Amino acid sequence: MMWKVVFTVLAAVLAVGLGTMVGGLRDMDANNAGAMNALNFAVLKHNRASNDVYRNEVAQVVRVQSQIVSGVKYVITVKMAKTNCRKESSNEHCPIHTDPILAKPYTCVFTVWSQPWLNSLQVTKEECN
């Protein structure tokens, strides 16, 4: 019993000493399939909620983080910009305006909770400025 306590304390000290937090957010590859699926879902929801006539697209992925919580929580920071495609357009890819005045770039942080075994994705938080 005592060795379990010692091992647990030692593991916690090592984790803190190495700069990681058990169960905390961790940086991950922006090309991860789960993260890309979460981002596409968040952008779709973002565009649907917008009063703008034109679609906004991801201009740059700044940071992708994940955390294991009864599924996976993705925290994705992106730079967004306006396109010349109307929201009801069926174009899969809409080029972003090259003129910054028309593109009106802004940054968003999307938090998406994924539970793949339930086929569930939810945007739990969206902060754009």
Side-chain angles (χ1 to χ4, degrees), residues 39-90:
L39 176 58
N40 291 335
F41 180 76
V43 170
L44 178 69
K45 291 285 191 180
H46 175 74
N47 278 315
R48 283 184 182 162
S50 166
N51 290 330
D52 199 334
V53 175
Y54 296 96
R55 282 193 355 215
N56 295 292
E57 292 287 338
V58 174
Q60 177 188 2
V61 176
V62 176
R63 186 175 192 186
V64 178
Q65 295 178 293
S66 67
Q67 179 181 20
I68 304 302
V69 294
S70 186
V72 181
K73 176 173 84 172
Y74 296 100
V75 179
I76 307 169
T77 305
V78 293
K79 290 186 180 176
M80 302 281 292
K82 294 193 178 305
T83 70
N84 60 358
C85 295
R86 296 176 80 73
K87 286 196 320 190
E88 67 273 0
S89 168
S90 62

Side-chain angles (χ1 to χ4, degrees), residues 94-115:
C94 293
I96 292 170
H97 285 289
T98 53
D99 180 350
I101 293 169
L102 294 174
K104 297 182 181 176
Y106 59 101
T107 301
C108 287
V109 178
F110 297 112
T111 303
V112 181
W113 183 30
S114 172
Q115 291 181 302

